[in-house]
Coordinates of all heavy atoms in Angstrom, one line a residue:
M1 N -9.8 9.2 -7.8 CA -10.5 8.4 -6.8 C -9.4 7.6 -6.0 O -8.5 7.0 -6.6 CB -11.5 7.5 -7.5 CG -12.3 6.6 -6.5 SD -13.5 5.6 -7.3 CE -13.9 4.5 -6.0
A2 N -9.6 7.6 -4.7 CA -8.6 6.9 -3.8 C -8.8 5.4 -4.0 O -9.9 4.9 -4.1 CB -8.8 7.3 -2.4
K3 N -7.6 4.8 -4.0 CA -7.6 3.3 -4.1 C -7.0 2.7 -2.8 O -6.4 3.4 -2.0 CB -6.7 2.9 -5.3 CG -7.3 3.3 -6.6 CD -6.4 2.7 -7.8 CE -5.1 3.3 -8.0 NZ -5.2 4.6 -8.7
R4 N -7.3 1.4 -2.6 CA -6.8 0.8 -1.5 C -5.8 -0.3 -1.9 O -6.1 -1.0 -2.9 CB -7.9 0.1 -0.7 CG -8.8 1.1 0.1 CD -10.1 0.6 0.4 NE -10.1 -0.6 1.2 CZ -10.2 -0.6 2.5 NH1 -10.2 0.5 3.2 NH2 -10.2 -1.7 3.2
Y5 N -4.7 -0.4 -1.3 CA -3.6 -1.4 -1.6 C -3.5 -2.3 -0.4 O -3.4 -1.9 0.7 CB -2.3 -0.7 -1.9 CG -2.3 0.1 -3.1 CD1 -2.9 1.4 -3.2 CD2 -1.7 -0.4 -4.3 CE1 -2.9 2.1 -4.4 CE2 -1.7 0.3 -5.5 CZ -2.3 1.6 -5.5 OH -2.3 2.3 -6.7
V6 N -3.5 -3.6 -0.7 CA -3.4 -4.6 0.4 C -2.1 -5.4 0.3 O -1.7 -5.9 -0.7 CB -4.5 -5.6 0.3 CG1 -4.5 -6.6 1.4 CG2 -5.9 -4.9 0.3
C7 N -1.4 -5.5 1.4 CA -0.2 -6.2 1.5 C -0.5 -7.7 1.4 O -1.4 -8.2 2.2 CB 0.5 -5.9 2.9 SG 1.9 -7.0 3.2
V8 N 0.0 -8.4 0.5 CA -0.3 -9.8 0.3 C 0.3 -10.7 1.3 O 0.0 -11.9 1.5 CB 0.1 -10.3 -1.1 CG1 -0.7 -9.5 -2.2 CG2 1.6 -10.2 -1.4
I9 N 1.3 -10.2 2.1 CA 2.0 -11.0 3.1 C 1.2 -11.0 4.4 O 0.9 -12.0 5.0 CB 3.4 -10.4 3.3 CG1 4.2 -10.3 2.0 CG2 4.1 -11.3 4.4 CD1 4.4 -11.6 1.3
C10 N 0.8 -9.8 4.9 CA 0.2 -9.7 6.2 C -1.2 -9.1 6.2 O -1.9 -9.2 7.2 CB 1.0 -8.9 7.1 SG 1.0 -7.1 6.8
G11 N -1.7 -8.6 5.0 CA -3.0 -8.1 4.9 C -3.2 -6.6 5.3 O -4.3 -6.1 5.4
H12 N -2.1 -6.0 5.6 CA -2.2 -4.5 5.9 C -2.8 -3.8 4.8 O -2.4 -4.0 3.6 CB -0.8 -4.0 6.3 CG -0.7 -2.5 6.4 ND1 -0.3 -1.7 5.4 CD2 -1.1 -1.7 7.4 CE1 -0.4 -0.4 5.8 NE2 -0.9 -0.4 7.0
V13 N -3.6 -2.8 5.1 CA -4.3 -2.1 4.0 C -3.7 -0.6 4.0 O -3.7 0.0 5.1 CB -5.8 -2.0 4.2 CG1 -6.5 -1.1 3.1 CG2 -6.4 -3.4 4.1
H14 N -3.3 -0.2 2.8 CA -2.9 1.2 2.7 C -4.0 1.9 1.9 O -4.3 1.6 0.8 CB -1.6 1.3 1.8 CG -1.2 2.7 1.6 ND1 -0.3 3.4 2.4 CD2 -1.6 3.6 0.6 CE1 -0.2 4.7 1.9 NE2 -1.0 4.8 0.8
D15 N -4.7 2.8 2.6 CA -5.9 3.5 2.1 C -5.4 4.9 1.6 O -5.0 5.7 2.4 CB -7.0 3.6 3.2 CG -8.3 4.1 2.6 OD1 -8.3 4.7 1.5 OD2 -9.3 4.0 3.3
E16 N -5.5 5.1 0.3 CA -5.0 6.4 -0.2 C -5.8 7.6 0.4 O -5.3 8.7 0.5 CB -5.2 6.5 -1.7 CG -4.1 5.6 -2.4 CD -4.1 5.8 -3.9 OE1 -5.1 6.2 -4.5 OE2 -3.0 5.7 -4.5
A17 N -7.1 7.3 0.7 CA -7.9 8.4 1.3 C -7.4 8.9 2.6 O -7.6 10.0 3.1 CB -9.4 7.9 1.4
V18 N -6.7 8.0 3.3 CA -6.2 8.3 4.7 C -4.7 8.6 4.6 O -4.2 9.6 5.3 CB -6.4 7.1 5.6 CG1 -5.8 7.4 7.0 CG2 -7.9 6.8 5.7
E19 N -3.9 7.8 3.9 CA -2.5 7.9 4.0 C -1.8 8.5 2.8 O -0.6 8.6 2.7 CB -1.9 6.5 4.3 CG -2.4 5.9 5.6 CD -2.3 4.4 5.6 OE1 -3.1 3.7 5.1 OE2 -1.4 3.9 6.3
G20 N -2.6 8.9 1.8 CA -2.0 9.6 0.7 C -1.8 8.7 -0.5 O -1.9 7.4 -0.5
K21 N -1.6 9.3 -1.7 CA -1.5 8.6 -3.0 C -0.3 7.7 -3.0 O 0.8 8.0 -2.5 CB -1.4 9.6 -4.1 CG -2.6 10.5 -4.3 CD -3.7 9.8 -4.9 CE -3.6 9.5 -6.3 NZ -4.7 8.7 -6.9
W22 N -0.6 6.5 -3.5 CA 0.5 5.5 -3.6 C 1.7 6.0 -4.4 O 2.8 5.8 -4.0 CB -0.1 4.2 -4.3 CG 0.7 3.0 -4.3 CD1 1.4 2.5 -5.4 CD2 1.0 2.2 -3.2 NE1 2.1 1.4 -5.0 CE2 1.8 1.1 -3.7 CE3 0.6 2.2 -1.9 CZ2 2.3 0.1 -2.9 CZ3 1.1 1.1 -1.1 CH2 1.9 0.1 -1.6
E23 N 1.4 6.7 -5.5 CA 2.5 7.2 -6.3 C 3.4 8.2 -5.6 O 4.5 8.5 -6.1 CB 1.9 7.9 -7.6 CG 1.2 6.9 -8.5 CD -0.2 6.5 -8.0 OE1 -0.7 7.1 -7.1 OE2 -0.8 5.6 -8.6
T24 N 2.9 8.8 -4.5 CA 3.7 9.8 -3.8 C 4.6 9.2 -2.7 O 5.4 9.9 -2.1 CB 2.8 10.9 -3.3 OG1 2.0 10.4 -2.3 CG2 2.0 11.6 -4.4
L25 N 4.4 7.9 -2.5 CA 5.2 7.3 -1.4 C 6.6 7.1 -1.8 O 6.9 7.0 -3.0 CB 4.6 5.9 -1.1 CG 3.2 5.9 -0.5 CD1 2.7 4.4 -0.3 CD2 3.2 6.5 0.9
P26 N 7.6 7.1 -0.9 CA 9.0 6.9 -1.2 C 9.2 5.5 -1.8 O 8.4 4.6 -1.4 CB 9.7 7.1 0.1 CG 8.7 6.9 1.1 CD 7.4 7.3 0.6
T27 N 10.1 5.4 -2.7 CA 10.3 4.1 -3.4 C 10.8 3.0 -2.4 O 10.7 1.8 -2.7 CB 11.3 4.2 -4.5 OG1 12.5 4.8 -4.0 CG2 10.8 5.1 -5.6
D28 N 11.3 3.5 -1.2 CA 11.7 2.5 -0.2 C 10.7 2.2 0.9 O 11.0 1.8 1.9 CB 13.1 2.9 0.4 CG 12.9 4.3 1.1 OD1 11.9 4.9 1.0 OD2 13.9 4.6 1.8
F29 N 9.4 2.6 0.5 CA 8.3 2.3 1.4 C 8.3 0.9 1.8 O 8.5 0.0 1.0 CB 7.0 2.7 0.7 CG 5.8 2.2 1.4 CD1 5.2 3.0 2.4 CD2 5.2 1.0 1.1 CE1 4.1 2.6 3.1 CE2 4.0 0.6 1.8 CZ 3.5 1.4 2.8
E30 N 8.0 0.7 3.1 CA 7.9 -0.7 3.6 C 6.6 -0.8 4.4 O 6.1 0.1 5.0 CB 9.0 -1.0 4.6 CG 10.4 -1.1 4.0 CD 11.5 -1.4 4.9 OE1 11.2 -1.3 6.2 OE2 12.6 -1.9 4.5
C31 N 6.0 -2.0 4.3 CA 4.8 -2.3 5.1 C 5.1 -2.1 6.6 O 6.0 -2.6 7.1 CB 4.4 -3.7 4.8 SG 3.0 -4.3 5.9
P32 N 4.2 -1.3 7.2 CA 4.5 -1.0 8.7 C 4.3 -2.2 9.5 O 4.8 -2.2 10.7 CB 3.4 0.1 9.0 CG 2.4 -0.1 8.0 CD 3.1 -0.6 6.7
D33 N 3.7 -3.2 9.1 CA 3.4 -4.4 9.9 C 4.4 -5.5 9.6 O 4.9 -6.1 10.6 CB 2.0 -5.0 9.6 CG 0.9 -4.1 10.2 OD1 1.3 -3.2 11.1 OD2 -0.2 -4.2 9.9
C34 N 4.8 -5.8 8.4 CA 5.7 -6.9 8.1 C 7.0 -6.5 7.4 O 7.9 -7.3 7.3 CB 5.0 -8.0 7.3 SG 4.7 -7.6 5.6
G35 N 7.1 -5.2 7.0 CA 8.4 -4.8 6.4 C 8.6 -5.1 4.9 O 9.7 -4.8 4.4
C36 N 7.6 -5.7 4.3 CA 7.8 -6.0 2.9 C 7.7 -4.7 2.0 O 7.2 -3.7 2.5 CB 6.8 -7.0 2.4 SG 5.1 -6.4 2.3
G37 N 8.1 -4.8 0.8 CA 8.1 -3.6 -0.1 C 6.8 -3.4 -0.9 O 5.9 -4.2 -0.8
M38 N 6.8 -2.4 -1.7 CA 5.6 -2.0 -2.4 C 5.2 -3.1 -3.4 O 4.1 -3.2 -3.8 CB 5.8 -0.7 -3.2 CG 6.2 0.5 -2.3 SD 6.5 2.0 -3.2 CE 4.9 2.6 -3.4
E39 N 6.2 -3.9 -3.9 CA 6.0 -4.9 -4.9 C 5.1 -6.0 -4.3 O 4.5 -6.8 -5.0 CB 7.3 -5.5 -5.4 CG 8.1 -6.3 -4.4 CD 9.0 -5.5 -3.5 OE1 8.9 -4.3 -3.6 OE2 9.8 -6.1 -2.8
D40 N 4.9 -6.1 -3.0 CA 4.1 -7.1 -2.4 C 2.7 -6.6 -2.0 O 2.0 -7.2 -1.3 CB 4.8 -7.6 -1.1 CG 6.0 -8.5 -1.5 OD1 6.0 -9.3 -2.4 OD2 7.1 -8.3 -0.8
Y41 N 2.4 -5.4 -2.6 CA 1.0 -4.9 -2.4 C 0.2 -5.1 -3.7 O 0.7 -5.0 -4.8 CB 1.0 -3.4 -2.1 CG 1.2 -3.1 -0.6 CD1 2.5 -3.3 0.0 CD2 0.2 -2.7 0.2 CE1 2.7 -3.0 1.3 CE2 0.4 -2.4 1.6 CZ 1.6 -2.5 2.1 OH 1.8 -2.3 3.4
E42 N -1.1 -5.4 -3.5 CA -2.0 -5.5 -4.6 C -3.1 -4.5 -4.5 O -3.5 -4.2 -3.4 CB -2.6 -6.9 -4.7 CG -1.6 -8.0 -5.1 CD -2.3 -9.3 -5.2 OE1 -3.4 -9.5 -4.7 OE2 -1.7 -10.2 -5.8
I43 N -3.6 -3.9 -5.6 CA -4.7 -3.0 -5.5 C -6.0 -3.8 -5.2 O -6.2 -4.9 -5.7 CB -4.9 -2.3 -6.9 CG1 -3.8 -1.4 -7.2 CG2 -6.3 -1.6 -6.9 CD1 -3.9 -0.7 -8.5
Q44 N -6.7 -3.3 -4.2 CA -8.0 -3.9 -3.8 C -9.1 -3.3 -4.6 O -9.3 -2.0 -4.5 CB -8.2 -3.7 -2.3 CG -9.4 -4.5 -1.8 CD -9.5 -4.3 -0.3 OE1 -9.6 -3.2 0.2 NE2 -9.4 -5.4 0.5
D45 N -9.9 -4.0 -5.3 CA -11.0 -3.5 -6.1 C -12.2 -3.2 -5.2 O -12.4 -3.9 -4.2 CB -11.4 -4.5 -7.2 CG -10.3 -4.7 -8.2 OD1 -9.7 -3.6 -8.5 OD2 -10.1 -5.8 -8.6
Ligands
ZN101 ZN1 2.7 -6.5 5.3

């Protein structure tokens, strides 16, 4: 099931259903809006 991850800095949402599985993103992934890393995202329930 696709999950949604939210950037805690700017609120950008990464939707797995649209942009692909979180686990498959490159480790140097950056938020497209604020440039923070994956560690600044939280899973949205
Ligand atoms: Zn962000």
Side-chain angles (χ1 to χ4, degrees):
M1 182 177 166
K3 295 187 285 283
R4 288 156 61 88
Y5 292 78
V6 182
C7 174
V8 298
I9 308 296
C10 74
H12 171 261
V13 176
H14 177 95
D15 188 343
E16 288 190 330
V18 177
E19 298 161 281
K21 296 288 286 180
W22 190 252
E23 291 78 9
T24 64
L25 294 174
T27 53
D28 61 350
F29 169 84
E30 293 181 343
C31 173
D33 287 344
C34 74
C36 73
M38 301 176 87
E39 68 277 8
D40 290 315
Y41 277 75
E42 289 182 345
I43 293 178
Q44 186 178 60
D45 295 318

